[in-house]
């Protein structure tokens, strides 16, 4: 079955090689959200090529750089509720990198098919004395630390969550306890829960790296979950998706990731914390595990990370925590130096 929504990227559907490449990705089991993101990225690139008289299949690095320039100069959409002139900052670095990733993979496919000899995007070239890919790509990659709420801010989030339906409170609790990604949370099924041992089974097909894992949840979340089951049975007694829509339009239908995003946005507005996202609870949980003294490899296994470098990007100490450590450490050093100074002069 074709899972691609071709109406979202007609330029790709109208390009023989683009359509074939994206369909191959779908046939090989790429996640639906990733497929949609790749399709939109390639669609935007093919539109740029058509507007500037560029043959996409034979485009040069210079012509691809023109597309990059258009992305870097592209204005964001207006903020919700603000005037049309109040626009968001230009496209984020991560968004530009996603566009380039899709284009690079498309050209990899053209090389494999013998349609062109080189990739105008490239992954970097080997330089003697340097690791592979050490040369800078078309656009530098920025890595920003995730926003981690402090205790007062997290309390504000929980107060905002108290006004939400029981289902949403359970979802927030699970997303923190098990450090769940948005897709992992929304795709939980009734059979994934082990209430006797308070464990969640995160199935491989719902994860980003296609690796399953089993993670615990707290007694408090177990109490919320038991109460939610009563409400869920009123909507449907069928086994399957755990979290169901309660709206009249989609009553008892599986909750979508977009609905959950809207719920979190609503809580962010109510708590006055615009930085709150569906990933914040995950970030906070992993950081809390680091604060509790967990080894980075243990945290990586808990989070479902294949590489610990990814874990290190998620967990970090706040400036306030670092200042306290510095103050405490310097006090010990100062005491040691003072003691040595006295001993040496006696």
């Amino acid at each position: 079955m074709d899972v691609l929504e071709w109406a979202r990227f007609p330029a790709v559907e109208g390009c023989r090689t683009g359509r074939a490449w994206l369909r191959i990705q779908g046939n090989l089991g790429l996640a639906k959200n990733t497929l949609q993101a790749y399709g939109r990225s390639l669609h935007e690139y093919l539109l740029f090529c058509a507007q500037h008289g560029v043959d996409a299949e034979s485009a040069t690095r210079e012509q691809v750089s023109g597309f990059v320039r258009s992305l870097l100069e592209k204005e964001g959409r207006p903020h919700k509720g603000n005037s049309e002139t109040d626009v968001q900052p230009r496209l984020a670095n991560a968004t530009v990198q996603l566009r380039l990733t899709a284009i690079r993979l498309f050209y990899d496919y053209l090389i494999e098919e013998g349609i062109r000899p080189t990739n105008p995007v490239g992954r970097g070239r080997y330089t003697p004395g340097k690791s592979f890919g050490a040369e800078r790509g078309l656009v530098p990659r920025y890595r920003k630390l995730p926003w981690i709420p402090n205790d007062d801010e997290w309390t504000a989030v929980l107060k905002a969550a108290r006004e939400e339906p029981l289902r949403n409170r359970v979802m927030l609790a699970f997303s923190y306890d098990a450090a769940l990604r948005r897709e992992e949370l929304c795709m939980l099924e009734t059979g994934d829960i082990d209430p006797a041992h308070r464990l969640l089974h995160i199935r491989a097909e719902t994860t980003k790296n296609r690796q399953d894992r089993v993670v615990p949840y707290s007694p408090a979340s177990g109490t919320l979950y038991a109460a939610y089951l009563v409400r869920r049975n009123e909507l449907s007694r069928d086994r399957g998706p755990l979290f169901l829509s309660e709206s009249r339009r989609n009553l008892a239908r599986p909750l979508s990731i977009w609905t959950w995003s809207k719920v979190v946005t609503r809580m962010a507005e109510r708590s006055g914390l615009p930085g709150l996202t569906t990933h914040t609870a995950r970030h906070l949980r992993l950081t809390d595990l680091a604060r509790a003294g967990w080894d980075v490899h243990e945290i990586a296994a808990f989070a479902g990370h294949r590489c610990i470098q990814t874990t290190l990007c998620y967990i970090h100490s706040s400036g306030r925590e670092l200042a306290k450590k510095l103050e405490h450490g310097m006090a010990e050093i100062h005491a040691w130096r003072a003691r040595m100074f006295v001993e040496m002069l006696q």
Side-chain angles (χ1 to χ4, degrees), residues 63 109 179 236 293:
Q63 291 167 330
Y109 165 75
S236 173

Side-chain angles (χ1 to χ4, degrees), residues 62 149 181 208 226 260 274 276 285 318:
E62 179 184 2
R181 301 179 178 95
K208 190 174 182 180
W260 176 236
L276 181 68
R285 178 59 160 173
S318 69

Side-chain angles (χ1 to χ4, degrees), residues 15 45-46 49-50 54-60 64 106-107 110 116 120:
C15 173
Y45 175 65
L46 293 175
C49 290
V54 175
D55 178 20
E57 294 184 0
S58 60
T60 64
V64 173
F106 169 63
Y107 281 120
L110 296 184
R116 61 175 297 145

Side-chain angles (χ1 to χ4, degrees), residues 40-60:
R40 289 192 299 269
S41 298
L42 185 57
H43 167 79
E44 191 170 344
Y45 175 65
L46 293 175
L47 284 183
F48 172 86
C49 290
Q51 292 168 358
H52 292 81
V54 175
D55 178 20
E57 294 184 0
S58 60
T60 64

Side-chain angles (χ1 to χ4, degrees), residues 183-232:
E183 290 79 5
E184 296 169 349
L185 175 67
C186 293
M187 295 180 71
L188 280 175
E189 295 189 352
T190 53
D192 297 331
I193 317 297
D194 179 0
H197 300 92
R198 292 201 309 273
L199 295 174
L200 299 179
H201 176 214
I202 313 304
R203 289 169 286 116
E205 60 268 27
T206 71
T207 66
K208 190 174 182 180
N209 58 8
R210 294 298 184 263
Q211 294 181 349
D212 65 353
R213 65 188 191 277
V214 177
V215 287
Y217 59 89
S218 67
S221 297
T223 301
L224 284 173
Y225 168 67
Y228 170 68
L229 281 185
V230 176
R231 173 56 181 158
R232 187 191 182 281

